[in-house]
Amino acid sequence: MLLPIKFIAANIFVSGMIVGSVCGAFAFSTLSNPERRNRMKDYIKGCCEDRKK
């Protein structure tokens, strides 16, 4: 009974590692491109201005 629980826990752990790697790679690629970084800054600035109104 304990063996299937270990497999489930290992699958959850590996899935979390994979998702973390993919998200980290996506964030790194987004922030390393100056054009995307500037668009993101403009978007955040626009959101902040809309919130103040």
Side-chain angles (χ1 to χ4, degrees):
M1 184 81 175
L2 188 59
L3 194 58
I5 293 173
K6 287 184 180 181
F7 283 127
I8 292 171
N11 285 335
I12 291 171
F13 178 73
V14 170
S15 298
M17 296 278 290
I18 291 170
V19 169
S21 308
V22 170
C23 289
F26 178 72
F28 180 76
S29 69
T30 300
L31 295 176
S32 64
N33 188 345
E35 182 180 330
R36 287 183 186 165
R37 190 174 42 232
N38 290 336
R39 282 193 290 167
M40 195 179 326
K41 285 180 184 177
D42 293 341
Y43 175 75
I44 292 171
K45 190 183 294 183
C47 288
C48 291
E49 288 174 1
D50 291 340
R51 199 177 320 141
K52 289 178 183 178
K53 291 179 184 177

